[in-house]
Amino acid sequence: MRELSVFVLRPILVLLFLGGLLVQLAVIPQTATELAVALPGFASLATPYAIAAILVILCLQVALAATWRLLSKVRDDEIFSGQTKPWVDAIITSVAVGTLLVVAVVVHLAGVMQLGPPALILLLTVLAIEGAAFVLLMIVMRSLLHNATIIQAELALLT
């Protein structure tokens, strides 16, 4: 079952990574250009917000790469080796940074500039809440992994 999970998840990670790359290289720049032309009042914000969006996706790509590495540990039956903590920490840190970028955009757009449709503010707020919830979940999972690693090491001593 473990190998099947890894086999199924890896192509999904690749598709997500490549999809993010496509959005970073094509969709975001094109959308920013179109919005700057269609909404001249937002033209000065198009580039900074496009950069923020690209960075958020980059943070998610870092998390995907760390997940790939953890899948390798699962496949090789090394998930409890103690070498997984940096990869879990990379996921937590990258998603936390991405979430903070979303929060910064919401605060700037709604609080400082007092611009943007309510639906956009709501969407970004929901993304920030989801990101924070994921980070907290990963912190719990890291603690569980740490405890399981200790138990696994103790069991190895008994056998």
Side-chain angles (χ1 to χ4, degrees):
M1 184 65 167
R2 174 180 56 207
E3 290 183 21
L4 176 64
S5 297
V6 172
F7 179 77
V8 170
L9 281 172
R10 283 206 163 162
I12 293 171
L13 292 177
V14 169
L15 288 174
L16 289 171
F17 190 90
L18 292 175
L21 198 58
L22 176 67
V23 170
Q24 286 171 309
L25 297 176
V27 175
I28 292 173
Q30 180 66 31
T31 303
T33 302
E34 290 173 5
L35 285 175
V37 171
L39 303 168
F42 287 96
S44 65
L45 300 175
T47 300
Y49 285 174
I51 291 170
I54 289 168
L55 290 175
V56 168
I57 293 171
L58 178 63
C59 290
L60 296 177
Q61 288 171 319
V62 169
L64 289 172
T67 302
W68 180 283
R69 191 64 190 116
L70 286 173
L71 284 176
S72 296
K73 296 285 186 188
V74 168
R75 183 197 63 215
D76 298 338
D77 202 24
E78 296 176 355
I79 195 68
F80 300 118
S81 68
Q83 299 172 350
T84 55
K85 186 179 182 298
W87 300 108
V88 175
D89 288 344
I91 294 170
I92 292 169
T93 302
S94 64
V95 174
V97 169
T99 300
L100 289 174
L101 282 168
V102 172
V103 169
V105 168
V106 169
V107 168
H108 185 261
L109 187 61
V112 176
M113 300 301 292
Q114 297 180 346
L115 296 171
L120 176 62
I121 303 301
L122 179 62
L123 174 68
L124 292 174
T125 301
V126 168
L127 284 174
I129 291 168
E130 288 175 348
F134 182 79
V135 167
L136 293 172
L137 175 66
M138 287 304 299
I139 290 170
V140 170
M141 297 302 287
R142 179 182 61 185
S143 174
L144 292 172
L145 180 63
H146 175 73
N147 291 341
T149 302
I150 291 171
I151 291 170
Q152 181 77 12
E154 289 174 356
L155 282 173
L157 291 174
L158 294 175
T159 58

